[in-house]
Amino acid sequence: MNLLKAYLVPHPPIIMKSIGGSDSEICCNTIDAMNIISKQIAELKPDNIIIISPHAPLFRDAVTIISNKEMTGDFRSFGHPDIVFSFSNNVKLATNIYMAAEEMSIPSVLIEEDNYGHDFKLDHGIMVPLSFITSEYENFKLIPLNYGLIDQKALVKFGSVIRNEVEVLGEKTVLIASGDLSHSLINRGPYSYTPEGPEFDNRIVKSITESNLSSILNFDENFVENAHQCGYNSLVILEGVLKGLNYNSNLLSYEGPFGVGYAVAEFNLNGEVEYTMDPYVKLARDTIENYVRNVTIPKLPNDLPTEMLDERAGVFVTIYKDGDLRGCIGTISPTRENIAMEIIQNAISSCSKDPRFYAVNIGELPYLSVSVDVLMPAEDIESIAELDPSKYGVIVNKGHRRGLLLPNLEGIDSAEEQVDIALKKAGIHPTEDYKLERFEVVRHK
């Protein structure tokens, strides 16, 4: 993997001895942990460091990607204009992340020289962790990001975009989620004490010690808001980066001496989760990959189950892009010599011939999931009362017009709704004298 490792770090300037002086020793556990990760990064020798900072330019409706070639910042607002940092950006990686985010319909803004360039300065959410890292290692390019105040699902998707674009570029990269935890641990903190403050920090620490960062996605929105924190969305993006990977996380330190929680943690990445893919789905996915990349049709594998080679059936291949429908084409009755060939033909049609969508492109492939429905023989029914949309698909017929809807589709809760959609697909008016059939499927995911 080109993504070498990920970290959670706090960013209070007081932990820098050049700013905090002797007061920085109050945070000795945090400082020791920051020194540990700095040495680790020096050993990893990454080409790039991506930092997600809550204090980079913030948009309510978009994530922010910085692509300025050269970036500087100082600690003027903390009384130290003499402490200055300057870094070069990996403009190609920053731009690729932005373009992929746009392709995935994730609201995003690219800050570059000719728009926000003169106003952008590195913030303390970036410079504090880098003040430790650069004491050990400086030979990297920096890509700063800000999470934006968009919905959680989009932030998780953004994390998957970051990881994929790192792998596509092929350069060694470390990711840092910068953010402090609750600011409401005690009444002397930046905010008044709230019971959500300590509970928030405890739950974050638990998710890290159990290597279960996905648990934070279940946090209630009001609970997060009342904790008065600035690191939650950085962690949500990190969860998107880690999704589908084997990883173990290690809490290096946690303390809150000033009423703000400071956590330092490492996330060791051990490759993708290994699992055995259903052979029906694998054939469909391999077909889509081959066709989109090379416009070729793969040969049938030698290890297919015998029923895929010996039996015939109608098949639907459905493509999803991060949970949203991206293509679905199928056959009600078999048209090929076996199920395997039916899958191949319909997989190609789903990715390239569904009239509702443009053809799938190479950049989308990492974000696609596929399901295969093998249709059982249909049977005539007399009325809608004999339908159950969770169990049966429906076919409507009137002359040469025919419409089909698969069973167990998200958002289809009633037989009436199921039939209405099938009628529209067939171009049949509800007042016409149409016939109904129902069928079951074996769904492979």
Side-chain angles (χ1 to χ4, degrees):
M1 291 183 64
N2 296 306
L3 183 62
L4 305 177
K5 200 163 183 175
Y7 295 94
L8 167 67
V9 301
H11 50 241
I14 196 171
I15 66 175
M16 297 170 56
K17 200 162 189 66
S18 55
I19 292 179
S22 59
D23 288 341
S24 65
E25 296 175 5
I26 299 172
C27 307
C28 60
N29 292 333
T30 299
I31 292 170
D32 289 346
M34 294 294 287
N35 287 329
I36 288 172
I37 70 168
S38 299
K39 288 180 169 56
Q40 289 180 355
I41 291 172
E43 292 176 1
L44 292 170
K45 295 182 171 57
D47 302 305
N48 308 300
I49 294 179
I50 298 173
I51 297 190
I52 308 162
S53 170
H55 303 295
L58 176 66
F59 291 82
R60 294 195 62 84
D61 56 353
V63 295
T64 307
I65 301 105
I66 313 298
S67 67
N68 289 9
K69 292 180 182 177
E70 301 295 330
M71 302 163 295
T72 61
D74 59 48
F75 283 89
R76 185 180 311 272
S77 58
F78 295 92
H80 290 270
D82 54 311
I83 303 177
V84 180
F85 288 90
S86 180
F87 299 95
S88 297
N89 195 330
N90 187 328
V91 176
K92 181 175 178 58
L93 180 53
T95 305
N96 287 354
I97 291 171
Y98 167 72
M99 293 175 65
E102 287 285 291
E103 178 67 28
M104 294 290 290
S105 300
I106 301 168
S108 54
V109 172
L110 184 69
I111 292 182
E112 50 192 342
E113 304 291 346
D114 58 358
N115 53 21
Y116 296 89
H118 296 295
D119 298 325
F120 173 72
K121 298 291 183 183
L122 295 172
D123 62 87
H124 69 280
I126 295 168
M127 292 187 293
V128 170
L130 289 182
S131 71
F132 287 86
I133 293 168
T134 53
S135 69
E136 300 286 342
Y137 180 71
E138 295 183 325
N139 191 25
F140 62 88
K141 290 187 175 181
L142 173 69
I143 303 92
L145 310 173
N146 179 278
Y147 46 65
L149 303 179
I150 60 176
D151 68 84
Q152 186 182 90
K153 181 180 178 182
L155 291 175
V156 173
K157 286 169 64 175
F158 186 57
S160 70
V161 164
I162 294 171
R163 188 180 90 207
N164 183 66
E165 294 310 313
V166 166
E167 297 306 317
V168 168
L169 187 63
E171 296 180 0
K172 295 186 297 183
T173 302
V174 164
L175 183 136
I176 295 175
S178 177
D180 298 333
L181 300 188
S182 174
H183 295 54
S184 297
L185 300 181
I186 58 176
N187 279 323
R188 297 195 310 275
Y191 293 82
S192 297
Y193 169 83
T194 64
E196 291 90 345
E199 183 183 353
F200 176 87
D201 283 18
N202 288 339
R203 290 172 68 177
I204 292 292
V205 166
K206 185 173 187 287
S207 73
I208 294 169
T209 56
E210 294 179 352
S211 297
N212 184 27
L213 194 61
S214 62
S215 65
I216 73 171
L217 302 182
N218 299 321
F219 287 10
D220 179 77
E221 186 175 335
N222 290 330
F223 168 70
V224 174
E225 183 176 352
N226 291 335
H228 301 122
Q229 49 68 48
C230 68
Y232 178 72
N233 280 359
S234 294
L235 284 169
V236 170
I237 293 175
L238 178 55
E239 161 58 20
V241 173
L242 299 174
K243 189 176 181 180
L245 294 180
N246 278 312
Y247 74 92
N248 63 80
S249 49
N250 178 31
L251 185 72
L252 298 175
S253 73
Y254 171 80
E255 57 188 349
F258 305 110
V260 180
Y262 304 144
V264 182
E266 59 179 339
F267 296 80
N268 301 295
L269 312 182
N270 305 315
E272 294 188 5
V273 175
E274 294 183 6
Y275 64 97
T276 303
M277 187 179 293
D278 182 291
Y280 290 73
V281 175
K282 188 175 188 305
L283 179 59
R285 187 170 186 89
D286 288 349
T287 299
I288 293 166
E289 291 262 357
N290 270 277
Y291 192 80
V292 172
R293 292 185 184 279
N294 309 309
V295 199
T296 59
I297 301 173
K299 294 180 179 179
L300 286 179
N302 296 323
D303 57 350
L304 290 177
T306 55
E307 72 267 15
M308 293 179 69
L309 300 172
D310 296 342
E311 297 178 12
R312 301 179 73 227
V315 168
F316 273 73
V317 175
T318 305
I319 304 171
Y320 298 94
K321 182 176 175 180
D322 266 333
D324 298 323
L325 183 66
R326 185 62 181 85
C328 181
I329 295 288
T331 45
I332 297 174
S333 303
T335 62
R336 303 288 163 170
E337 54 266 40
N338 55 39
I339 290 175
M341 294 304 297
E342 204 82 32
I343 290 172
I344 288 174
Q345 182 61 38
N346 291 331
I348 291 172
S349 296
S350 286
C351 73
S352 63
K353 298 178 182 178
D354 189 326
R356 297 167 294 179
F357 305 97
Y358 56 85
V360 170
N361 61 55
I362 292 176
E364 294 179 277
L365 290 175
Y367 308 107
L368 302 182
S369 60
V370 179
S371 69
V372 176
D373 289 295
V374 179
L375 277 60
M376 301 294 101
E379 58 180 349
D380 294 334
I381 58 174
E382 296 299 323
S383 72
I384 290 178
E386 297 178 69
L387 288 173
D388 177 353
S390 66
K391 180 179 180 180
Y392 296 111
V394 65
I395 301 171
V396 295
N397 295 279
K398 176 65 176 178
H400 66 279
R401 291 171 293 168
R402 204 175 193 195
L404 176 146
L405 198 68
L406 295 170
N408 196 25
L409 297 179
E410 185 176 353
I412 308 299
D413 300 318
S414 70
E416 288 77 13
E417 188 177 8
Q418 187 184 36
V419 170
D420 184 59
I421 294 172
L423 288 171
K424 288 176 180 175
K425 292 175 71 173
I428 300 171
H429 194 275
T431 60
E432 294 187 63
D433 183 24
Y434 57 86
K435 293 182 180 180
L436 286 171
E437 297 175 84
R438 72 182 185 185
F439 61 92
E440 294 184 72
V441 304
V442 177
R443 179 161 294 167
H444 301 265
K445 300 174 72 173

